[in-house]
């Protein structure tokens, strides 16, 4: 590939010469590189370097990875629990965002660290303020689904400047109510990033 990139268009014969190999020895390698789309062969002209742009490779890869294969377990709290309970749950579960639910795990809101800090520095007693008063409420919650790809989900975190998306599925035909079935967070993205980084044949 280096030879073709430097000297292309170049014939198979000439590449073989540079490598001190016969044309026949080289043929299967050239066939593989052509089929994989790295080189292009034009009759009577020779081989051209096409290559894959790194961004295309990573973009394609991310769009094939689905939220359902990377999501974390949901961490939820009932709407009537207190801000104090929410803070304790965050410490116990070691998360920065909680999904707030009503009966049967139906999503009603999301509460983040700063939402709770706001109450904590205010005049009210965190044990007496229901978490429902501190949270961001439906329908203003940005969510993802198991079938969405991780690129689209990550883009939502950036576009809306948030740390976490509840992974949901609709429970009614009109899709007005959603059950929380997971969590997709900045940590999830970091894990995907490390996995991609360790895969050296990407
Ligand atoms: P923090 O500000 O605590 O670091 P976020 O950046 O995630 O955490 O939250 C910023 C604000 O956005 C908070 O008010 C929070 O309630 C809200 N928020 C967090 N996640 C979502 C979401 N998925 N959809 C809508 N609003 C959200």
């Amino acid at each position: 590939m280096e030879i073709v990139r430097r000297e292309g268009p170049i014939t198979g014969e000439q590449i073989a010469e540079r490598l001190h190999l016969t044309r026949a020895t080289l043929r299967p390698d050239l066939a593989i590189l052509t089929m994989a789309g790295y080189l292009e062969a034009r009759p009577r002209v020779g081989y051209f370097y096409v290559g894959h742009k790194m961004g295309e490779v990573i973009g394609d890869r991310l769009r094939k990875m689905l939220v359902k294969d990377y999501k974390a377990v949901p961490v939820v709290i009932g709407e009537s629990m207190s801000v104090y309970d929410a803070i304790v749950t965050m410490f116990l579960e070691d998360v920065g965002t909680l999904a707030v639910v009503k009966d049967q795990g139906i999503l009603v809101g999301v509460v983040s660290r700063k939402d709770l800090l706001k109450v904590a520095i205010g005049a009210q007693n965190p044990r007496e303020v229901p978490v429902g008063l501190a949270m961001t409420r439906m329908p203003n919650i940005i969510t993802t689904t198991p079938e969405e790809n991780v690129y689209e989900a990550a883009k939502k975190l950036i576009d809306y400047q948030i740390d976490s998306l509840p992974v949901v599925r609709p429970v009614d035909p009109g899709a007005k109510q959603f059950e929380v079935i997971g969590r997709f967070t900045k940590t999830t993205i970091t894990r995907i990033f490390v996995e991609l980084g360790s895969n050296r044949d990407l």
Side-chain angles (χ1 to χ4, degrees):
M1 275 170 59
E2 254 174 58
I3 294 171
V4 179
R5 187 158 44 187
R6 257 196 333 260
E7 303 180 36
I10 180 169
T11 64
E13 207 62 53
Q14 290 167 323
I15 301 171
E17 244 170 58
R18 300 276 190 289
L19 296 169
H20 310 291
L21 296 169
T22 65
R23 173 84 184 87
T25 309
L26 208 57
R27 193 167 294 130
D29 299 70
L30 287 172
I32 287 169
L33 291 175
T34 309
M35 274 189 300
Y38 291 105
L39 302 183
E40 208 177 286
R42 300 224 185 106
R44 285 187 298 280
V45 183
Y47 290 92
F48 289 86
Y49 179 77
V50 187
H52 284 299
K53 291 204 195 84
M54 183 83 107
E56 271 174 40
V57 175
I58 295 175
D60 287 354
R61 185 73 182 265
L62 290 175
R63 283 175 179 80
K64 283 191 192 121
M65 299 163 95
L66 300 180
V67 166
K68 67 175 168 201
D69 297 320
Y70 294 91
K71 69 182 166 61
V73 293
V75 179
V76 304
I77 187 169
E79 185 175 23
S80 58
M81 305 294 274
S82 69
V83 162
Y84 178 88
D85 294 327
I87 294 170
V88 170
T89 307
M90 274 189 188
F91 277 109
L92 290 178
E93 301 284 347
D94 196 16
V95 295
T97 312
L98 303 172
V100 183
V101 296
K102 62 179 182 185
D103 33 82
Q104 269 95 47
I106 304 299
L107 179 67
V108 291
V110 161
V111 69
S112 79
R113 281 181 276 230
K114 267 180 249 151
D115 295 332
L116 300 175
L117 281 173
K118 248 184 260 166
V119 177
I121 61 169
Q124 291 160 298
N125 181 349
R127 290 176 197 264
E128 280 158 19
V129 180
V131 76
L133 288 184
M135 71 185 184
T136 301
R137 183 173 286 280
M138 282 292 268
N140 297 324
I141 303 299
I142 313 300
T143 60
T144 182
T145 61
E147 302 305 326
E148 188 163 58
N149 69 59
V150 302
Y151 174 78
E152 294 299 336
K155 191 157 184 314
K156 286 179 181 172
L157 293 178
I158 295 296
D159 289 350
Y160 294 96
Q161 299 180 15
I162 47 182
D163 294 348
S164 166
L165 302 172
V167 183
V168 299
R169 69 168 162 237
V171 289
D172 56 339
K176 290 238 164 55
Q177 297 212 311
F178 298 90
E179 182 189 0
V180 183
I181 57 170
R183 182 160 59 85
F184 188 90
T185 72
K186 287 185 175 172
T187 304
T188 318
I189 309 290
T190 309
R191 205 152 41 77
I192 290 170
F193 185 85
V194 169
E195 189 179 300
L196 288 175
S198 67
N199 185 352
R200 289 173 160 266
D201 32 84
L202 179 71

